[in-house]
Amino acid sequence: MKTAPRAQDVADLAQVSQSAVSRTFTPGASVSEATRRKVLAAAQKLGYRPNALARSLITRRSRIVALVMSYLENQFYPLVIEQLSQKLQKEGYHVLMFIAEVDEAADGVLAEILQYQVDGIVMASAMLSSNVARSCAAVGVPVVQFNRVSILGGLARHSSSSVTSDNYAGGQLAARLLVERGYRRFAYLAELEDSSTSIERERGYRAALSEAGHELHRREVGHYDFDQAQAAVRRLFSGDAPDALFAANDHMAIAALDVLRQELGARVPQDVAVVGFDDVPQAAWGAYRLTTVRQRVEPMVDATVTLLREQMQAELRPRDIVVPCDLVERATVRPAH
Amino acid sequence: MKTAPRAQDVADLAQVSQSAVSRTFTPGASVSEATRRKVLAAAQKLGYRPNALARSLITRRSRIVALVMSYLENQFYPLVIEQLSQKLQKEGYHVLMFIAEVDEAADGVLAEILQYQVDGIVMASAMLSSNVARSCAAVGVPVVQFNRVSILGGLARHSSSSVTSDNYAGGQLAARLLVERGYRRFAYLAELEDSSTSIERERGYRAALSEAGHELHRREVGHYDFDQAQAAVRRLFSGDAPDALFAANDHMAIAALDVLRQELGARVPQDVAVVGFDDVPQAAWGAYRLTTVRQRVEPMVDATVTLLREQMQAELRPRDIVVPCDLVERATVRPAH
């Protein structure tokens, strides 16, 4: 077995200083492009690997951020992975993936995450328990809850940050549009009963309906799942059917459109309106052209990186950031006269 | 600043041996559920973090596998992330995300990846250069090319493994179906000119057309992109239009269906047939019901984990695994009489 090449070997071959080798392999450190190229060529030739792990023992930084997710079927989350990975990568961090069971409290994976000495944790579509929030705070690892938040009490509430859309306002936008366009029997398709996003969207929807003198006619739970959402839509539209459906995400709204058009022969938007939430790329596809409340992924990811940076580098206190959402009108709600 | 709790502190509080603490935090190690629970409770109470990084310096294992990807818009890749993460997680490994520019050779991110002392690298939808393949082999880090492969010569070819679908056979399946159902003017929508998957699918398609006494009528390049694919379809169907389109992936096939039906008023499958490749979940959505060649994500991911394991643990030589694909008939090709 040959011995591993050292930084000095690379410096000798590249005819640069050892510090130049070190800077080349330190994300964010200043080094000229010419030097960088010489060092990389030499490192490659020698099969040199800078030891980030050894360095992290000194700096106490692994430059790893754990991302906990429970399902990627909803197309919103792949966008989040891609953008979060890209933005963190620009700052010299990388995303380590942890897949949790849907709605399992994430306590199980936490011990595993902490083994990697991560610099931060982003929890998306996974539940954070009070215990976990407190444990992470105790060991100084910042946690950002992304999109969904757990309802935590007291101390735990103040030990994690969060980034969410203004879900309540988004629900209001959907209700006001549907009322204005003349629909009268309003239904809601929830995600899960304990999903914070779904709860807030429903609260806003009901409040705006009520302000306009209307009330919720029917509601069902779709469990985020395409098939379960379709079964829920069949129940919603049997008997005294609604004429307007607000679904808590686009994934379920698209499932609803398939049932309404292909199975029930309903004309959308003439007979029935459908409004979604997220504005995933598929909502714009020609066969759906879904009217929806847009979650702005990019500002949400930016806010997440900001919160991680605040807590990792400046040791600022956790805080909550709420990102505004807006309406994207396409073809599943009648146009204004 | 308080001092970090040590394994002994956890063992004392949990009233177990220090070895029990160590085993609790070693993926795959044997420990009873009761002991495990006591240790985790004590660790949580004390804010103890086992130091995987320090351990990896001794074992030379980081239990991290790097996944290099360049774009997640094609819904095939989120499925791969989810399944690969889940399967590796079960074996005590986690996926560290690296986003490369589309079709950039991955040399740029490689130096960064090696800093993390990863145990393996999976390259999906990213190009592997000969230099990189040789560098990784030199430092003993196994590389598996997933789905797309680079055409590497000589030594480099033997320094990485690969997992692909039988793309050539998949192209043949598409051609034979279209010929059998009476279509006669055949078009192909490629991904990129240098994409191995697209090249192999086209070769199989052309070979089977030729065997049946037909030839390729038209071809265009869609660049994996929804908008560019739609522009390519407009060009394909202007003037002497084809009556059958085989698209190198479902993402572009769905884009094509929107143009054909919504813009050109074509009847699919009566006037024009469309066949895709992948069988992403969206291909089954009611508004598309796309006939497609299925890539079997689960066996492909299993094969990837097997190859990584062979090279990480048994130091076996790299090899190539080809997974069969099959036809999924839905509603975009005329049924048999």
Side-chain angles (χ1 to χ4, degrees):
Chain A
M1 196 179 149
K2 63 181 181 184
T3 49
R6 298 155 309 145
Q8 189 59 55
D9 302 330
V10 176
D12 291 346
L13 181 63
Q15 298 188 288
V16 300
S17 67
Q18 198 175 334
S19 147
V21 176
S22 166
R23 277 179 286 119
T24 298
F25 289 105
T26 304
S30 165
V31 61
S32 79
E33 190 49 38
T35 302
R36 195 179 133 75
R37 231 173 265 172
K38 277 191 280 185
V39 170
L40 287 179
Q44 196 165 54
K45 192 154 186 184
L46 296 172
Y48 166 74
R49 277 203 287 172
N51 195 331
L53 297 189
R55 196 169 57 229
S56 81
L57 289 176
I58 300 158
T59 63
R60 309 287 297 162
R61 296 245 177 260
S62 60
R63 308 204 77 90
I64 291 174
V65 170
L67 175 61
V68 188
M69 282 210 168
S70 47
Y71 74 130
L72 284 81
E73 202 196 358
N74 178 347
Q75 297 79 38
F76 179 70
Y77 288 108
L79 295 179
V80 172
I81 297 178
E82 185 171 18
Q83 294 200 17
L84 186 64
S85 297
Q86 267 170 336
K87 282 183 205 286
L88 286 174
Q89 195 164 313
K90 281 195 190 122
E91 311 217 351
Y93 290 86
H94 285 274
V95 164
L96 194 65
M97 296 290 306
F98 290 82
I99 309 284
E101 293 294 307
V102 177
D103 285 295
E104 170 195 49
D107 301 37
V109 289
L110 241 288
E112 234 183 308
I113 291 176
L114 294 180
Q115 278 189 48
Y116 283 93
Q117 298 280 92
V118 298
D119 290 334
I121 301 173
V122 177
M123 308 210 38
S125 70
M127 303 296 273
L128 178 70
S129 74
S130 302
N131 278 345
V132 164
R134 277 200 304 260
S135 301
C136 293
V139 295
V141 177
V143 177
V144 179
Q145 297 192 74
F146 184 92
N147 193 31
R148 284 177 66 185
V149 294
S150 303
I151 295 97
L152 301 174
L155 269 174
R157 185 71 203 83
H158 298 292
S159 55
S160 68
S161 292
S162 74
V163 175
T164 54
S165 283
D166 190 344
N167 292 304
Y168 185 87
Q172 289 179 306
L173 288 175
R176 287 177 191 146
L177 177 73
L178 292 168
V179 168
E180 182 205 309
R181 300 299 162 80
Y183 298 96
R184 287 299 172 259
R185 294 189 309 284
F186 304 93
Y188 182 64
L189 182 54
E191 293 175 331
L192 283 177
E193 294 298 10
D194 62 357
S195 148
S196 66
T197 48
S198 187
I199 292 168
E200 285 300 295
R201 289 164 197 176
E202 180 168 2
R203 280 186 55 229
Y205 184 58
R206 283 176 183 263
L209 288 178
S210 171
E211 273 166 29
H214 299 284
E215 60 182 23
L216 193 63
H217 178 62
R218 282 188 164 187
R219 76 188 289 283
E220 282 283 349
V221 179
H223 297 94
Y224 301 105
D225 178 85
F226 209 79
D227 294 336
Q228 291 192 62
Q230 295 203 321
V233 170
R234 286 180 202 110
R235 291 193 298 275
L236 278 175
F237 285 83
S238 64
D240 184 19
D243 66 357
L245 173 64
F246 174 39
N249 68 44
D250 287 353
H251 189 61
M252 298 195 300
I254 287 171
L257 283 170
D258 279 350
V259 169
L260 288 169
R261 285 174 172 157
Q262 323 274 335
E263 287 180 29
L264 307 180
R267 295 178 312 157
V268 179
Q270 296 90 329
D271 303 336
V272 186
V274 176
V275 177
F277 209 109
D278 283 342
D279 196 29
V280 294
Q282 288 76 7
W285 285 0
Y288 295 107
R289 306 210 57 233
L290 178 67
T291 294
T292 189
V293 180
R294 181 165 61 126
Q295 294 217 80
R296 298 169 62 218
V297 178
E298 198 172 341
M300 289 175 78
V301 168
D302 284 342
T304 303
V305 173
T306 298
L307 289 171
L308 285 170
R309 202 193 295 119
E310 283 182 2
Q311 291 171 72
M312 293 190 304
Q313 294 168 9
E315 303 191 354
L316 297 185
R317 301 176 74 82
R319 62 190 178 103
D320 302 313
I321 296 182
V322 176
V323 176
C325 42
D326 54 0
L327 204 59
V328 179
E329 275 211 67
R330 294 199 183 92
T332 56
V333 173
R334 283 194 287 261
H337 296 295
Chain B
M1 195 178 150
K2 62 181 182 186
T3 50
R6 296 154 311 145
Q8 190 58 56
D9 302 330
V10 176
D12 290 348
L13 182 62
Q15 299 187 288
V16 300
S17 67
Q18 198 175 333
S19 147
V21 175
S22 167
R23 276 179 287 117
T24 299
F25 289 105
T26 303
S30 164
V31 62
S32 79
E33 190 48 38
T35 302
R36 194 180 133 74
R37 229 175 267 174
K38 276 191 280 185
V39 170
L40 287 179
Q44 196 167 53
K45 192 155 185 184
L46 295 171
Y48 166 74
R49 276 203 288 173
N51 195 332
L53 298 189
R55 195 169 60 229
S56 80
L57 289 176
I58 300 157
T59 64
R60 310 286 299 162
R61 295 242 178 263
S62 61
R63 307 205 78 89
I64 291 174
V65 170
L67 175 60
V68 188
M69 282 211 168
S70 48
Y71 74 131
L72 285 81
E73 202 196 359
N74 178 346
Q75 296 79 38
F76 178 71
Y77 289 107
L79 294 179
V80 172
I81 297 177
E82 185 171 17
Q83 294 200 17
L84 186 64
S85 298
Q86 268 171 335
K87 280 181 206 286
L88 286 175
Q89 194 164 314
K90 280 194 191 125
E91 311 218 352
Y93 290 86
H94 285 274
V95 164
L96 194 64
M97 296 290 306
F98 289 82
I99 308 286
E101 292 295 307
V102 176
D103 285 296
E104 169 195 48
D107 301 37
V109 290
L110 240 291
E112 234 182 308
I113 291 175
L114 294 180
Q115 278 189 45
Y116 283 92
Q117 299 280 92
V118 298
D119 290 335
I121 301 174
V122 177
M123 309 212 35
S125 72
M127 302 296 273
L128 179 69
S129 73
S130 302
N131 278 345
V132 164
R134 277 200 303 261
S135 303
C136 293
V139 295
V141 176
V143 177
V144 179
Q145 297 192 74
F146 184 92
N147 192 30
R148 283 178 65 185
V149 293
S150 304
I151 296 97
L152 300 175
L155 269 175
R157 185 72 204 81
H158 297 292
S159 55
S160 69
S161 291
S162 75
V163 175
T164 54
S165 282
D166 191 345
N167 292 304
Y168 185 88
Q172 290 178 306
L173 289 175
R176 285 173 192 148
L177 178 73
L178 291 168
V179 168
E180 180 204 310
R181 301 298 162 80
Y183 298 95
R184 286 301 172 257
R185 294 187 310 284
F186 304 92
Y188 182 63
L189 183 54
E191 293 175 330
L192 282 177
E193 294 298 10
D194 62 357
S195 148
S196 67
T197 48
S198 187
I199 291 168
E200 285 302 296
R201 288 164 196 176
E202 181 169 0
R203 279 186 55 228
Y205 184 56
R206 282 176 183 263
L209 288 179
S210 170
E211 272 165 31
H214 299 285
E215 61 181 22
L216 193 63
H217 178 62
R218 282 189 164 186
R219 77 188 289 285
E220 282 284 349
V221 180
H223 298 92
Y224 301 104
D225 178 84
F226 208 79
D227 294 335
Q228 290 192 61
Q230 295 203 320
V233 170
R234 286 180 203 111
R235 291 193 297 274
L236 279 175
F237 284 82
S238 65
D240 184 20
D243 67 357
L245 174 64
F246 174 38
N249 68 44
D250 288 353
H251 188 62
M252 298 195 300
I254 287 170
L257 283 171
D258 279 351
V259 168
L260 288 169
R261 285 174 171 155
Q262 322 274 336
E263 287 181 29
L264 307 179
R267 295 178 311 158
V268 178
Q270 296 91 331
D271 304 335
V272 186
V274 176
V275 177
F277 210 109
D278 283 342
D279 196 30
V280 296
Q282 290 74 8
W285 284 0
Y288 295 106
R289 306 209 58 233
L290 179 67
T291 293
T292 189
V293 181
R294 181 165 61 127
Q295 294 217 80
R296 298 168 63 217
V297 178
E298 198 172 341
M300 289 175 78
V301 168
D302 284 341
T304 304
V305 173
T306 298
L307 289 171
L308 286 171
R309 202 194 295 117
E310 283 182 2
Q311 292 172 72
M312 293 190 304
Q313 292 167 10
E315 303 193 354
L316 298 184
R317 301 177 73 82
R319 61 189 179 104
D320 302 311
I321 296 181
V322 177
V323 177
C325 42
D326 55 0
L327 205 57
V328 179
E329 275 211 66
R330 295 200 182 91
T332 57
V333 173
R334 283 193 287 260
H337 296 294

